[in-house]
Amino acid sequence: MIEMFHVYKSYVEGIDVLMDVNLHVSKGEFVFLTGVSGAGKTTLLRLMNCTERATSGQVLIRRRNVARLTSSSIPYLRRNIGVVYQDFKLIRRRSVFDNVALALEVLGTPRAEVQRRVMDVLRSVGLQHKYLQYPPTLSGGEQQRVAIARAIVNDPAILLADEPTGNLDPDMTIEILKLLMDINNRGTTVLVATHDRSIIERLRFRTLVLEKGRIYH
Amino acid sequence: MVLGQYIRYLVVRAFQNIRENKFLTVVTVAVITVSMLLFSSFLLLYFNLANALENWGHDVQVSIYLRDSVSETEARAIMAELETHQEVTASSYVSKEEALESFSRSLSGVAGIIDDLGTNPLPASIELTLRDDLADTAAIEAFVDSIDRQEFEDVDWSQEWVEKFYAFLDLLRWSGIVLAGLLASASVFIISQTIKLGFYARRDEFEILELVGATGLFIRIPFLIEGIVQGLTGAMAAEVLLFVAYRIVHGILDTGLQETLGAISFRFLPSSYLAGIVLGGMGLGLLGSILSVRKVVRVGAD
């Protein structure tokens, strides 16, 4: 599902953020990516959803070499990849419903179907009753659930989560992780980047450790 | 089906943008209104002057002053010959006496002076009316040159005046083009700047749209629609204001100048011009937004 071969990434010449990264994440897997802040976790995720391109090496998403993709075809690849961030990235002036609907609107989904699927996914994250509210009126955990709902509403093959519990208290953290596992159980490949060792130890999924730009399995 | 949905989302987002950025929208529309108003006022002035010239052009008269040695019989023979020219639509003979009479009538104060001279200093003349479509200085000049002959003391067709008027109209046309160019660039610049401000206010949204797989067009088109709507609104507001101003000026002309100007009427711009102004406004809005969108939104680029 996600493969990397000898991937290097540098923003400034001579300083590699990622060095000779090789990894393989299979279809339907749940994988943790860990490492201290600045280890390159976010950069690695950005390579996976094509927000960045590798300086050298191969990145294959669903067997497609992203280096060969043209800029105009990247949006179509992204539609297969849901992304969740620590800071939620919700549009504050749009309702919960509109935030989630955005992921379907870019596909040109008919309005009635958008209505049905958004409400379904909000139900699955337990926020169906808050669909008219605006992000600033929600708690951190609720905002993250909206972000997850947006990431999965179009049934992506892959879900990337960058420190999804970074801003949440322990109870909320468990809630969000349960949600991510549910999504994984339904067949979505999930990759969670976190520096929180307690989560990793508790859940015992395969873990990729990133240290100074290198992967240790 | 999908295309219809896309169009619906894009239009809805454009109007959402407008609603969420009322102040910027008002500023942009006001700028377009002012520039379109300036330009269309100019156009209205030009249109009416050109119309007036055309009216006067219809009445281009050539006065041929005859030498005193030419008798009326000879003059009428010349006149008959001149009438065979296709440029001439009418001709008349004005004898020395008639010339004196009309001169005295129009300038009653100097009549006494002429009486004192004892002789009539005014020449007899042949007055020619030229064809309508000959309202062009070069054509008139060529015709006048072609009919000149020994018996003529002088040929006058108020050449200087018509030429000056044409030159003025030319100047007006060029100033109009320059003015339109300046106003258009200023408007495009301001529109692009205000739309750009709107972009910066919504930067987070672009990032999120990219994240969920929106194509560059999906992000850009609402801004283009926004620009077109702003241009359309500004141009229509300018036309309404221009019409109000026209009614007021027309009222003043009706009571005062109209009598002096006689047949020349002050008219509003015809619908084809109005449509052109609206299209122009929409074009300015579109151009302004294209310029800013191109600079700000770079989807998929690394």
Side-chain angles (χ1 to χ4, degrees), chain B residues 157-181:
Chain B
W157 55 280
S158 32
Q159 180 179 18
E160 222 178 324
W161 184 86
V162 174
E163 270 178 356
K164 270 187 185 157
F165 198 88
Y166 271 115
F168 174 66
L169 214 59
D170 249 1
L171 178 75
L172 213 59
R173 180 162 46 228
W174 282 107
S175 331
I177 290 167
V178 171
L179 181 78

PDB file of all heavy atoms in Angstrom, chain B residues 157-181:
ATOM      1  N   TRP B 157     -15.467  76.424 -47.645  1.00  0.00           N
ATOM      2  CA  TRP B 157     -16.368  75.376 -47.106  1.00  0.00           C
ATOM      3  C   TRP B 157     -16.125  75.167 -45.618  1.00  0.00           C
ATOM      4  O   TRP B 157     -16.192  74.094 -45.096  1.00  0.00           O
ATOM      5  CB  TRP B 157     -16.230  74.069 -47.881  1.00  0.00           C
ATOM      6  CG  TRP B 157     -14.813  73.551 -47.942  1.00  0.00           C
ATOM      7  CD1 TRP B 157     -13.834  73.972 -48.772  1.00  0.00           C
ATOM      8  CD2 TRP B 157     -14.236  72.536 -47.128  1.00  0.00           C
ATOM      9  NE1 TRP B 157     -12.678  73.296 -48.549  1.00  0.00           N
ATOM     10  CE2 TRP B 157     -12.906  72.385 -47.542  1.00  0.00           C
ATOM     11  CE3 TRP B 157     -14.714  71.717 -46.105  1.00  0.00           C
ATOM     12  CZ2 TRP B 157     -12.036  71.480 -46.949  1.00  0.00           C
ATOM     13  CZ3 TRP B 157     -13.850  70.806 -45.535  1.00  0.00           C
ATOM     14  CH2 TRP B 157     -12.525  70.699 -45.957  1.00  0.00           C
ATOM     15  N   SER B 158     -15.860  76.288 -44.970  1.00  0.00           N
ATOM     16  CA  SER B 158     -15.585  76.267 -43.530  1.00  0.00           C
ATOM     17  C   SER B 158     -14.645  75.115 -43.195  1.00  0.00           C
ATOM     18  O   SER B 158     -14.838  74.367 -42.248  1.00  0.00           O
ATOM     19  CB  SER B 158     -16.865  76.180 -42.706  1.00  0.00           C
ATOM     20  OG  SER B 158     -17.849  75.464 -43.381  1.00  0.00           O
ATOM     21  N   GLN B 159     -13.621  74.989 -44.042  1.00  0.00           N
ATOM     22  CA  GLN B 159     -12.651  73.921 -43.922  1.00  0.00           C
ATOM     23  C   GLN B 159     -11.984  73.879 -42.548  1.00  0.00           C
ATOM     24  O   GLN B 159     -11.927  72.851 -41.906  1.00  0.00           O
ATOM     25  CB  GLN B 159     -11.583  74.137 -44.995  1.00  0.00           C
ATOM     26  CG  GLN B 159     -10.497  73.105 -44.996  1.00  0.00           C
ATOM     27  CD  GLN B 159      -9.505  73.386 -46.112  1.00  0.00           C
ATOM     28  OE1 GLN B 159      -9.466  74.497 -46.642  1.00  0.00           O
ATOM     29  NE2 GLN B 159      -8.718  72.410 -46.454  1.00  0.00           N
ATOM     30  N   GLU B 160     -11.562  75.058 -42.133  1.00  0.00           N
ATOM     31  CA  GLU B 160     -10.823  75.160 -40.888  1.00  0.00           C
ATOM     32  C   GLU B 160     -11.647  74.622 -39.718  1.00  0.00           C
ATOM     33  O   GLU B 160     -11.177  73.852 -38.910  1.00  0.00           O
ATOM     34  CB  GLU B 160     -10.511  76.639 -40.645  1.00  0.00           C
ATOM     35  CG  GLU B 160      -9.119  76.862 -40.153  1.00  0.00           C
ATOM     36  CD  GLU B 160      -8.866  78.347 -39.991  1.00  0.00           C
ATOM     37  OE1 GLU B 160      -9.384  79.133 -40.822  1.00  0.00           O
ATOM     38  OE2 GLU B 160      -8.202  78.708 -39.026  1.00  0.00           O
ATOM     39  N   TRP B 161     -12.885  75.020 -39.727  1.00  0.00           N
ATOM     40  CA  TRP B 161     -13.766  74.656 -38.619  1.00  0.00           C
ATOM     41  C   TRP B 161     -13.983  73.143 -38.566  1.00  0.00           C
ATOM     42  O   TRP B 161     -13.835  72.512 -37.523  1.00  0.00           O
ATOM     43  CB  TRP B 161     -15.097  75.397 -38.765  1.00  0.00           C
ATOM     44  CG  TRP B 161     -16.002  75.132 -37.612  1.00  0.00           C
ATOM     45  CD1 TRP B 161     -16.011  75.797 -36.434  1.00  0.00           C
ATOM     46  CD2 TRP B 161     -16.987  74.118 -37.540  1.00  0.00           C
ATOM     47  NE1 TRP B 161     -16.939  75.256 -35.612  1.00  0.00           N
ATOM     48  CE2 TRP B 161     -17.563  74.207 -36.258  1.00  0.00           C
ATOM     49  CE3 TRP B 161     -17.438  73.124 -38.418  1.00  0.00           C
ATOM     50  CZ2 TRP B 161     -18.569  73.368 -35.834  1.00  0.00           C
ATOM     51  CZ3 TRP B 161     -18.446  72.282 -37.989  1.00  0.00           C
ATOM     52  CH2 TRP B 161     -19.003  72.406 -36.709  1.00  0.00           C
ATOM     53  N   VAL B 162     -14.308  72.571 -39.729  1.00  0.00           N
ATOM     54  CA  VAL B 162     -14.562  71.123 -39.763  1.00  0.00           C
ATOM     55  C   VAL B 162     -13.303  70.346 -39.381  1.00  0.00           C
ATOM     56  O   VAL B 162     -13.342  69.396 -38.603  1.00  0.00           O
ATOM     57  CB  VAL B 162     -15.064  70.699 -41.162  1.00  0.00           C
ATOM     58  CG1 VAL B 162     -15.180  69.183 -41.247  1.00  0.00           C
ATOM     59  CG2 VAL B 162     -16.404  71.338 -41.439  1.00  0.00           C
ATOM     60  N   GLU B 163     -12.166  70.826 -39.905  1.00  0.00           N
ATOM     61  CA  GLU B 163     -10.917  70.139 -39.590  1.00  0.00           C
ATOM     62  C   GLU B 163     -10.617  70.196 -38.110  1.00  0.00           C
ATOM     63  O   GLU B 163     -10.195  69.220 -37.512  1.00  0.00           O
ATOM     64  CB  GLU B 163      -9.761  70.754 -40.389  1.00  0.00           C
ATOM     65  CG  GLU B 163      -9.606  70.059 -41.717  1.00  0.00           C
ATOM     66  CD  GLU B 163      -8.502  70.660 -42.557  1.00  0.00           C
ATOM     67  OE1 GLU B 163      -7.900  71.670 -42.143  1.00  0.00           O
ATOM     68  OE2 GLU B 163      -8.264  70.124 -43.646  1.00  0.00           O
ATOM     69  N   LYS B 164     -10.844  71.366 -37.539  1.00  0.00           N
ATOM     70  CA  LYS B 164     -10.598  71.516 -36.100  1.00  0.00           C
ATOM     71  C   LYS B 164     -11.488  70.574 -35.307  1.00  0.00           C
ATOM     72  O   LYS B 164     -11.063  69.961 -34.343  1.00  0.00           O
ATOM     73  CB  LYS B 164     -10.852  72.969 -35.669  1.00  0.00           C
ATOM     74  CG  LYS B 164      -9.609  73.815 -35.764  1.00  0.00           C
ATOM     75  CD  LYS B 164      -9.847  75.178 -35.175  1.00  0.00           C
ATOM     76  CE  LYS B 164      -8.626  76.064 -35.391  1.00  0.00           C
ATOM     77  NZ  LYS B 164      -8.987  77.469 -35.348  1.00  0.00           N
ATOM     78  N   PHE B 165     -12.706  70.490 -35.756  1.00  0.00           N
ATOM     79  CA  PHE B 165     -13.650  69.645 -35.038  1.00  0.00           C
ATOM     80  C   PHE B 165     -13.235  68.176 -35.131  1.00  0.00           C
ATOM     81  O   PHE B 165     -13.250  67.449 -34.145  1.00  0.00           O
ATOM     82  CB  PHE B 165     -15.067  69.837 -35.580  1.00  0.00           C
ATOM     83  CG  PHE B 165     -16.101  69.339 -34.618  1.00  0.00           C
ATOM     84  CD1 PHE B 165     -16.599  70.174 -33.629  1.00  0.00           C
ATOM     85  CD2 PHE B 165     -16.544  68.031 -34.672  1.00  0.00           C
ATOM     86  CE1 PHE B 165     -17.540  69.716 -32.721  1.00  0.00           C
ATOM     87  CE2 PHE B 165     -17.478  67.564 -33.766  1.00  0.00           C
ATOM     88  CZ  PHE B 165     -17.983  68.405 -32.794  1.00  0.00           C
ATOM     89  N   TYR B 166     -12.819  67.791 -36.335  1.00  0.00           N
ATOM     90  CA  TYR B 166     -12.359  66.406 -36.496  1.00  0.00           C
ATOM     91  C   TYR B 166     -11.122  66.149 -35.640  1.00  0.00           C
ATOM     92  O   TYR B 166     -10.985  65.106 -35.018  1.00  0.00           O
ATOM     93  CB  TYR B 166     -12.029  66.110 -37.970  1.00  0.00           C
ATOM     94  CG  TYR B 166     -13.229  65.606 -38.733  1.00  0.00           C
ATOM     95  CD1 TYR B 166     -13.781  66.333 -39.774  1.00  0.00           C
ATOM     96  CD2 TYR B 166     -13.811  64.384 -38.387  1.00  0.00           C
ATOM     97  CE1 TYR B 166     -14.882  65.876 -40.464  1.00  0.00           C
ATOM     98  CE2 TYR B 166     -14.920  63.909 -39.070  1.00  0.00           C
ATOM     99  CZ  TYR B 166     -15.451  64.667 -40.113  1.00  0.00           C
ATOM    100  OH  TYR B 166     -16.530  64.203 -40.785  1.00  0.00           O
ATOM    101  N   ALA B 167     -10.230  67.124 -35.628  1.00  0.00           N
ATOM    102  CA  ALA B 167      -9.003  66.980 -34.845  1.00  0.00           C
ATOM    103  C   ALA B 167      -9.365  66.847 -33.367  1.00  0.00           C
ATOM    104  O   ALA B 167      -8.799  66.011 -32.643  1.00  0.00           O
ATOM    105  CB  ALA B 167      -8.105  68.192 -35.054  1.00  0.00           C
ATOM    106  N   PHE B 168     -10.345  67.653 -32.951  1.00  0.00           N
ATOM    107  CA  PHE B 168     -10.774  67.614 -31.551  1.00  0.00           C
ATOM    108  C   PHE B 168     -11.350  66.240 -31.223  1.00  0.00           C
ATOM    109  O   PHE B 168     -11.051  65.636 -30.187  1.00  0.00           O
ATOM    110  CB  PHE B 168     -11.810  68.715 -31.312  1.00  0.00           C
ATOM    111  CG  PHE B 168     -12.426  68.668 -29.939  1.00  0.00           C
ATOM    112  CD1 PHE B 168     -11.655  68.914 -28.811  1.00  0.00           C
ATOM    113  CD2 PHE B 168     -13.775  68.379 -29.783  1.00  0.00           C
ATOM    114  CE1 PHE B 168     -12.212  68.872 -27.550  1.00  0.00           C
ATOM    115  CE2 PHE B 168     -14.332  68.333 -28.523  1.00  0.00           C
ATOM    116  CZ  PHE B 168     -13.554  68.581 -27.403  1.00  0.00           C
ATOM    117  N   LEU B 169     -12.158  65.751 -32.168  1.00  0.00           N
ATOM    118  CA  LEU B 169     -12.788  64.449 -31.953  1.00  0.00           C
ATOM    119  C   LEU B 169     -11.730  63.339 -31.903  1.00  0.00           C
ATOM    120  O   LEU B 169     -11.810  62.414 -31.099  1.00  0.00           O
ATOM    121  CB  LEU B 169     -13.770  64.179 -33.098  1.00  0.00           C
ATOM    122  CG  LEU B 169     -15.012  63.392 -32.714  1.00  0.00           C
ATOM    123  CD1 LEU B 169     -15.811  64.090 -31.643  1.00  0.00           C
ATOM    124  CD2 LEU B 169     -15.872  63.143 -33.942  1.00  0.00           C
ATOM    125  N   ASP B 170     -10.723  63.487 -32.732  1.00  0.00           N
ATOM    126  CA  ASP B 170      -9.610  62.539 -32.740  1.00  0.00           C
ATOM    127  C   ASP B 170      -8.891  62.554 -31.408  1.00  0.00           C
ATOM    128  O   ASP B 170      -8.585  61.514 -30.832  1.00  0.00           O
ATOM    129  CB  ASP B 170      -8.610  62.933 -33.843  1.00  0.00           C
ATOM    130  CG  ASP B 170      -8.625  61.910 -34.968  1.00  0.00           C
ATOM    131  OD1 ASP B 170      -9.411  60.952 -34.867  1.00  0.00           O
ATOM    132  OD2 ASP B 170      -7.852  62.092 -35.929  1.00  0.00           O
ATOM    133  N   LEU B 171      -8.640  63.789 -30.938  1.00  0.00           N
ATOM    134  CA  LEU B 171      -7.960  63.968 -29.655  1.00  0.00           C
ATOM    135  C   LEU B 171      -8.786  63.299 -28.554  1.00  0.00           C
ATOM    136  O   LEU B 171      -8.268  62.587 -27.691  1.00  0.00           O
ATOM    137  CB  LEU B 171      -7.795  65.459 -29.365  1.00  0.00           C
ATOM    138  CG  LEU B 171      -7.143  65.796 -28.030  1.00  0.00           C
ATOM    139  CD1 LEU B 171      -5.641  65.533 -28.095  1.00  0.00           C
ATOM    140  CD2 LEU B 171      -7.405  67.247 -27.651  1.00  0.00           C
ATOM    141  N   LEU B 172     -10.095  63.532 -28.649  1.00  0.00           N
ATOM    142  CA  LEU B 172     -11.009  62.982 -27.651  1.00  0.00           C
ATOM    143  C   LEU B 172     -10.953  61.455 -27.685  1.00  0.00           C
ATOM    144  O   LEU B 172     -10.913  60.795 -26.656  1.00  0.00           O
ATOM    145  CB  LEU B 172     -12.423  63.455 -27.984  1.00  0.00           C
ATOM    146  CG  LEU B 172     -13.355  63.696 -26.821  1.00  0.00           C
ATOM    147  CD1 LEU B 172     -12.790  64.727 -25.878  1.00  0.00           C
ATOM    148  CD2 LEU B 172     -14.715  64.142 -27.326  1.00  0.00           C
ATOM    149  N   ARG B 173     -10.923  60.933 -28.906  1.00  0.00           N
ATOM    150  CA  ARG B 173     -10.902  59.471 -29.049  1.00  0.00           C
ATOM    151  C   ARG B 173      -9.623  58.898 -28.442  1.00  0.00           C
ATOM    152  O   ARG B 173      -9.650  57.949 -27.685  1.00  0.00           O
ATOM    153  CB  ARG B 173     -11.002  59.090 -30.532  1.00  0.00           C
ATOM    154  CG  ARG B 173     -10.985  57.578 -30.726  1.00  0.00           C
ATOM    155  CD  ARG B 173     -11.509  57.160 -32.079  1.00  0.00           C
ATOM    156  NE  ARG B 173     -10.969  57.951 -33.166  1.00  0.00           N
ATOM    157  CZ  ARG B 173     -11.700  58.489 -34.136  1.00  0.00           C
ATOM    158  NH1 ARG B 173     -12.993  58.318 -34.158  1.00  0.00           N
ATOM    159  NH2 ARG B 173     -11.139  59.184 -35.100  1.00  0.00           N
ATOM    160  N   TRP B 174      -8.496  59.547 -28.746  1.00  0.00           N
ATOM    161  CA  TRP B 174      -7.228  59.041 -28.207  1.00  0.00           C
ATOM    162  C   TRP B 174      -7.154  59.214 -26.699  1.00  0.00           C
ATOM    163  O   TRP B 174      -6.672  58.317 -26.007  1.00  0.00           O
ATOM    164  CB  TRP B 174      -6.045  59.713 -28.907  1.00  0.00           C
ATOM    165  CG  TRP B 174      -5.838  59.099 -30.257  1.00  0.00           C
ATOM    166  CD1 TRP B 174      -6.114  59.657 -31.463  1.00  0.00           C
ATOM    167  CD2 TRP B 174      -5.392  57.765 -30.543  1.00  0.00           C
ATOM    168  NE1 TRP B 174      -5.863  58.766 -32.479  1.00  0.00           N
ATOM    169  CE2 TRP B 174      -5.413  57.597 -31.944  1.00  0.00           C
ATOM    170  CE3 TRP B 174      -4.978  56.696 -29.751  1.00  0.00           C
ATOM    171  CZ2 TRP B 174      -5.036  56.416 -32.568  1.00  0.00           C
ATOM    172  CZ3 TRP B 174      -4.604  55.505 -30.365  1.00  0.00           C
ATOM    173  CH2 TRP B 174      -4.630  55.379 -31.766  1.00  0.00           C
ATOM    174  N   SER B 175      -7.660  60.359 -26.210  1.00  0.00           N
ATOM    175  CA  SER B 175      -7.661  60.529 -24.752  1.00  0.00           C
ATOM    176  C   SER B 175      -8.528  59.448 -24.131  1.00  0.00           C
ATOM    177  O   SER B 175      -8.219  58.919 -23.073  1.00  0.00           O
ATOM    178  CB  SER B 175      -8.214  61.886 -24.327  1.00  0.00           C
ATOM    179  OG  SER B 175      -7.981  62.839 -25.284  1.00  0.00           O
ATOM    180  N   GLY B 176      -9.633  59.136 -24.813  1.00  0.00           N
ATOM    181  CA  GLY B 176     -10.537  58.092 -24.323  1.00  0.00           C
ATOM    182  C   GLY B 176      -9.830  56.758 -24.229  1.00  0.00           C
ATOM    183  O   GLY B 176      -9.946  56.057 -23.229  1.00  0.00           O
ATOM    184  N   ILE B 177      -9.061  56.442 -25.251  1.00  0.00           N
ATOM    185  CA  ILE B 177      -8.348  55.160 -25.264  1.00  0.00           C
ATOM    186  C   ILE B 177      -7.312  55.125 -24.141  1.00  0.00           C
ATOM    187  O   ILE B 177      -7.208  54.160 -23.391  1.00  0.00           O
ATOM    188  CB  ILE B 177      -7.701  54.918 -26.645  1.00  0.00           C
ATOM    189  CG1 ILE B 177      -8.805  54.651 -27.670  1.00  0.00           C
ATOM    190  CG2 ILE B 177      -6.731  53.738 -26.597  1.00  0.00           C
ATOM    191  CD1 ILE B 177      -8.356  54.697 -29.112  1.00  0.00           C
ATOM    192  N   VAL B 178      -6.577  56.250 -24.003  1.00  0.00           N
ATOM    193  CA  VAL B 178      -5.562  56.318 -22.939  1.00  0.00           C
ATOM    194  C   VAL B 178      -6.236  56.229 -21.569  1.00  0.00           C
ATOM    195  O   VAL B 178      -5.821  55.464 -20.691  1.00  0.00           O
ATOM    196  CB  VAL B 178      -4.731  57.617 -23.054  1.00  0.00           C
ATOM    197  CG1 VAL B 178      -3.829  57.797 -21.846  1.00  0.00           C
ATOM    198  CG2 VAL B 178      -3.905  57.589 -24.333  1.00  0.00           C
ATOM    199  N   LEU B 179      -7.321  57.002 -21.421  1.00  0.00           N
ATOM    200  CA  LEU B 179      -8.054  57.005 -20.148  1.00  0.00           C
ATOM    201  C   LEU B 179      -8.563  55.605 -19.828  1.00  0.00           C
ATOM    202  O   LEU B 179      -8.397  55.099 -18.709  1.00  0.00           O
ATOM    203  CB  LEU B 179      -9.238  57.974 -20.221  1.00  0.00           C
ATOM    204  CG  LEU B 179     -10.068  58.096 -18.957  1.00  0.00           C
ATOM    205  CD1 LEU B 179      -9.362  58.967 -17.932  1.00  0.00           C
ATOM    206  CD2 LEU B 179     -11.448  58.667 -19.249  1.00  0.00           C
ATOM    207  N   ALA B 180      -9.146  54.961 -20.842  1.00  0.00           N
ATOM    208  CA  ALA B 180      -9.679  53.606 -20.635  1.00  0.00           C
ATOM    209  C   ALA B 180      -8.551  52.672 -20.219  1.00  0.00           C
ATOM    210  O   ALA B 180      -8.713  51.865 -19.291  1.00  0.00           O
ATOM    211  CB  ALA B 180     -10.339  53.102 -21.911  1.00  0.00           C
ATOM    212  N   GLY B 181      -7.400  52.815 -20.866  1.00  0.00           N
ATOM    213  CA  GLY B 181      -6.255  51.963 -20.531  1.00  0.00           C
ATOM    214  C   GLY B 181      -5.816  52.165 -19.093  1.00  0.00           C
ATOM    215  O   GLY B 181      -5.630  51.209 -18.344  1.00  0.00           O
TER     216      GLY B 181
END
